[in-house]
Amino acid sequence: MKSMNIMIVGVGGQGSLLASKLLGRVLIGEGYDVKVSEVHGMSQRGGSVVTYVRCGDKVYSPIIDKGEADYIVSFEKLEAARYVDHLKKGGVIVTNDQRIDPMPVITGAFEYPDEVLDSLKKKGVRIDSIDALSLALEAGSSKCVNIVLMGRLSVYSDISEEAWIRAIEEVAPKKFMEINKKAFALGRKAGVIE
Amino acid sequence: MKKLMLGNEAVARGLYEAGCSVVSSYPGTPSTEITEYAAKYDEIYCEWAPNEKVAAEVAFGASLAGARSACAMKHVGLNVAADPLFTLSYTGVNGGMVICVADDPGMHSSQNEQDSRHYAIASKIPMLEPADSREAKAFTRLAFELSERFDAPVILRMCTRIAHSQCSVELEERVDTVKKDYVKNPQKYIMAPANAIRRHPFVEERTAAIAEYAETSDINRVEYSTDRKLGIITSGTSYQYVKEAFGDKVSVLKLGMVNPLPDKLLRSFAESVDRVVVVEELDPVIEEHCKAIGIKTEGKNILPVVGEFSQSVIAKAFGIEAPAFDSCDEQIPVRPPVMCAGCPHRGLFYVLAKNKLTVLGDIGCYTLGSAAPLTAIDSVLCMGASVSGIHGFNKAFGGDSENRTVCVIGDSTFMHSGMTGLANIAYNGSNSTVIIVDNSITGMTGHQQNPTTGYNIKGDPATKIDLESLCRALGINRVRVVDPYDLAETEKAVLEEVAAEEPSVIISRRPCALLKYVKAKSPVIIDREKCRGCKKCMKIGCPAVSVKEGKATVDETLCTGCGVCSQLCSFDAINQPE
């Protein structure tokens, strides 16, 4: 079984924990050894958050280091750029193209580098950028950006759509089940992969 | 049945399976979920104690009564519980007792990077260190067996990457433990000098006996590679990084028990390889032990003392090539944690910053009042230090210090260790002004109940300690409550109380905006005609407010309609909807 490293990055409060839970469940279901590593606490308060998901025959380290990620799933543009050095050569960044200003930008101490993804693309970094927020709203809630992005990520995997849906049924709150399934479907068929 | 489990959840499962029936803890990242998950088992009585010392002593009492018991805390919590810890080593246990402590290498959510292993050595208490969730459960179960077998409390040492990483765990049934009989035994449990003098030799003999156990127990294991040039001695999460970096190309002695250490095993492993390196995060505890018993070893000469390890840290230390990667040419602005939109602390810190007061801060979400643009805090040391510290500051500074200095402490932190400092202010007489930011929850660790919230860990109603009465009972006559969403009222109260010729307490009270029962109001509306782009509303550092194209803008997905920004506007441009 091939091993895979996936990083989920975003802004504290965006729902990355549910995304990593879903991903972990899917990969366990496929028979992989899986490790999922999160950071709780202080950094959750609107700060930059990172979750590592690793799978393979046998996984040792719970974290993903520079140049090791096959995929980076980002909930926000700037965060995609922040962690690009963790991407393996030839890896793919799946990102929401939403912009959320960090405090140094809000206070005017820094400019938000709006063109940052374009300059990374020019360097040859594979970036799959989608408007996950609009798709989440279309599905029924701005809170399911996480599941839209998982839907998008699923396009890159050999794992069956049924397996993903089963995992959603196991981890998502019952109250929002239909919204989450719709969000997953919208993410999965969004845009065209370059 | 297999389940993907967080390390902390696996510890809770281990507590359940081992037949543990009492858990008392104080929340602290990265240890909090141990107790939260344990509370989901009806068979375990769980509680949030006011602090870690209380928690450890509750667990001791439960052990004395014959039950298997535990307490959980973060590394700095063990400082608070250190007093019972050292003497618990002498009394030993009746029912098995486990102390779970979670270190935070890299300081993801902590004020220091202390290494708890020093406590195990200093208190002569055995310490186990799991390397993943599977071991977290297994070692928790083993810890109870060892505790009862050797008559010692046992410390289970977690760290952030074990506590907050998930891996697959095989679930087992709860064992039938019979609660031990309670028999009065003053020689064992009354640690007055005459008895303690007799217990100390027992502690020394016990350590020797456990060390002997550690020589042959499979909790410590050798994994030989075909290559014996390099041998690595390691434990916990460092083991995982070593295996990640080397695969099976290195011989490893993996220690599951980090105190006491198995001297014979260490020596025989060292003799079986050409070069020995100890790989351990934080302090060179194992390395120094090896050197003390005459093993020629390396360690901190090639590895850092500071921060977390990772596979690349190990790779770099041993000259293994790291993978290539692209980097970003643009400067990426940092994204530090901030107070949430609608956070009740924001209005208070705005008032304190505006009046240029010296502010002694404390541990909690409100520590974020130190960040730009508010930069309202002068010091943060440890739980409760703001209340004790302001008294010393005012006594030493003299002059009008009492009229321009305040301290800020949360409701939970005040119950944890602010009360004693307040008693000191009243008793030893400084006209200090203590502000309790009461958001009706323990916020930073993710919403745990505490003695002032009126609910227990299960969410059931509990005795609610009244902060106003408590402060008065501690000798403070001037106690007043303000709503931090009301800037004018808050400012008036602060200015009056710092000027008062006696000690005072201001309770800045409003529930955390993230609590489920707190309903957000409609977002504020900006009148772009009236807005002059003066950026006054930006002074509160609210993530929902920014200035775009010269005009204030509100992020409607974040704004809770708290209205603090609208009170700052001089042009009536920010309004609540009708």
Side-chain angles (χ1 to χ4, degrees), chain A residues 36 38 45 65 79 106 123, chain B residues 166 310 327 335 338 538:
Chain A
V36 179
E38 310 154 354
R45 301 278 173 260
D65 238 319
E79 297 310 306
I106 291 178
K123 285 180 136 186
Chain B
Q166 304 172 41
S310 69
S327 44
R335 190 184 297 276
V338 292
M538 303 288 290

Side-chain angles (χ1 to χ4, degrees), chain B residues 44-346:
Chain B
I44 310 177
Y45 166 78
C46 288
E47 64 177 28
W48 290 126
N51 69 31
E52 296 85 353
K53 172 173 149 67
V54 174
E57 290 158 355
V58 168
F60 162 71
S63 161
L64 184 65
R68 284 191 165 183
S69 69
C71 54
M73 59 201 68
K74 68 184 294 175
H75 59 330
V76 286
L78 193 55
N79 301 336
V80 180
D83 198 2
L85 182 81
F86 279 74
T87 308
L88 264 167
S89 177
Y90 281 35
T91 62
V93 302
N94 186 19
M97 177 175 166
V98 175
I99 299 159
C100 310
V101 58
D103 285 7
D104 191 14
M107 291 176 275
H108 296 278
S109 201
S110 302
Q111 67 269 42
N112 77 26
E113 207 171 17
Q114 69 187 49
D115 188 329
S116 291
R117 293 177 299 174
H118 296 296
Y119 271 112
I121 296 165
S123 65
K124 305 180 184 204
I125 289 176
M127 176 181 261
L128 308 184
E129 184 177 25
D132 60 19
S133 301
R134 191 184 57 76
E135 285 191 352
K137 181 171 85 72
F139 287 13
T140 302
R141 292 180 59 143
L142 177 65
F144 281 106
E145 287 166 29
L146 296 179
S147 174
E148 288 171 1
R149 174 169 163 191
F150 291 104
D151 189 13
V154 174
I155 302 175
L156 183 80
R157 183 199 189 212
M158 303 287 283
C159 73
T160 301
R161 293 299 179 189
I162 305 299
H164 288 165
S165 291
Q166 304 172 41
C167 74
S168 189
V169 178
E170 186 76 44
L171 304 189
E172 295 162 271
E173 295 302 310
R174 182 172 165 96
V175 297
D176 280 325
T177 47
V178 181
K179 203 171 134 189
K180 301 225 166 131
D181 292 332
Y182 172 69
V183 181
K184 187 168 176 169
N185 186 349
Q187 287 76 29
K188 177 162 156 50
Y189 293 115
I190 298 177
M191 282 303 99
N195 295 332
I197 284 167
R198 289 192 198 94
R199 287 298 287 182
H200 190 185
F202 162 77
V203 170
E204 300 303 326
E205 287 158 21
R206 180 182 71 197
T207 300
I210 301 171
E212 202 53 44
Y213 162 85
E215 296 287 358
T216 53
S217 164
D218 59 8
I219 195 168
N220 299 320
R221 67 170 190 263
V222 177
E223 298 171 4
Y224 278 121
S225 158
T226 46
D227 189 322
R228 301 275 182 105
K229 284 198 195 71
L230 175 62
I232 288 177
I233 300 171
T234 188
S235 69
T237 190
S238 297
Y239 164 80
Q240 307 290 4
Y241 301 139
V242 165
K243 293 294 282 186
E244 191 69 39
F246 285 97
D248 295 329
K249 293 191 202 76
V250 68
S251 296
V252 175
L253 168 54
K254 181 195 174 293
L255 298 167
M257 184 182 276
V258 290
N259 187 59
L261 289 167
D263 291 354
K264 281 178 267 183
L265 182 61
L266 290 167
R267 281 200 191 94
S268 70
F269 178 74
E271 282 160 13
S272 70
V273 294
D274 299 341
R275 178 192 179 199
V276 183
V277 181
V278 177
V279 176
E280 56 190 325
E281 274 177 337
L282 304 178
D283 298 337
V285 173
I286 300 169
E287 181 185 348
E288 282 175 2
H289 180 89
C290 287
K291 285 178 172 163
I293 61 169
I295 296 172
K296 190 167 170 285
T297 179
E298 296 174 65
K300 295 300 175 187
N301 56 322
I302 56 168
L303 287 154
V305 171
V306 175
E308 255 193 320
F309 283 2
S310 69
Q311 48 269 35
S312 70
V313 170
I314 309 296
K316 194 177 163 203
F318 290 93
I320 301 168
E321 199 184 342
F325 54 86
D326 289 305
S327 44
C328 193
D329 299 331
E330 281 92 340
Q331 199 179 2
I332 305 292
V334 294
R335 190 184 297 276
V338 292
M339 281 190 269
C340 308
C343 177
H345 302 325
R346 180 173 285 107

Side-chain angles (χ1 to χ4, degrees), chain A residues 5 10-12 17 20-21 24-25 28 33-50 52 54 58-68 76 78-79 81-82 84-90 98-108 110-113 115-117 119-120 123-125 133 142, chain B residues 3-4 6 29 33 108-110 131-132 160-162 164-168 223 237 239-241 243-244 247-248 308-313 322-340 346 364-365 367-368 372-373 443-447 514 535 538 541-548 555 557-558:
Chain A
N5 296 330
V11 179
L17 289 188
S20 62
K21 202 172 168 190
R25 187 62 64 97
I28 280 275
D33 184 31
V34 177
K35 275 195 179 154
V36 179
S37 188
E38 310 154 354
V39 169
H40 303 201
M42 183 70 127
S43 60
Q44 276 191 300
R45 301 278 173 260
S48 174
V49 290
V50 186
Y52 307 106
R54 307 190 66 216
K58 172 73 189 163
V59 178
Y60 288 107
S61 171
I63 66 175
I64 297 169
D65 238 319
K66 286 182 178 175
E68 291 184 346
E76 200 270 350
L78 191 64
E79 297 310 306
R82 186 186 312 283
V84 69
D85 55 3
H86 282 65
L87 194 68
K88 196 180 270 183
K89 283 281 188 185
Q98 193 181 351
R99 167 180 169 166
I100 300 174
D101 289 351
M103 196 47 71
V105 171
I106 291 178
T107 60
F110 267 96
E111 287 280 323
Y112 188 104
E115 309 303 318
V116 71
L117 294 185
S119 54
L120 286 174
K123 285 180 136 186
V125 179
L133 182 59
S142 63
Chain B
K3 196 181 171 211
L4 203 56
L6 213 55
T29 314
E33 300 83 3
H108 296 278
S109 201
S110 302
D132 60 19
T160 301
R161 293 299 179 189
I162 305 299
H164 288 165
S165 291
Q166 304 172 41
C167 74
S168 189
E223 298 171 4
T237 190
Y239 164 80
Q240 307 290 4
Y241 301 139
K243 293 294 282 186
E244 191 69 39
D248 295 329
E308 255 193 320
F309 283 2
S310 69
Q311 48 269 35
S312 70
V313 170
F325 54 86
D326 289 305
S327 44
C328 193
D329 299 331
E330 281 92 340
Q331 199 179 2
I332 305 292
V334 294
R335 190 184 297 276
V338 292
M339 281 190 269
C340 308
R346 180 173 285 107
C365 284
T367 309
L368 294 169
M444 180 60 85
T445 43
H447 285 179
L514 298 183
K535 297 189 178 175
M538 303 288 290
C542 177
V545 185
S546 56
V547 171
K548 292 205 170 95
D555 182 336
T557 62
L558 292 177

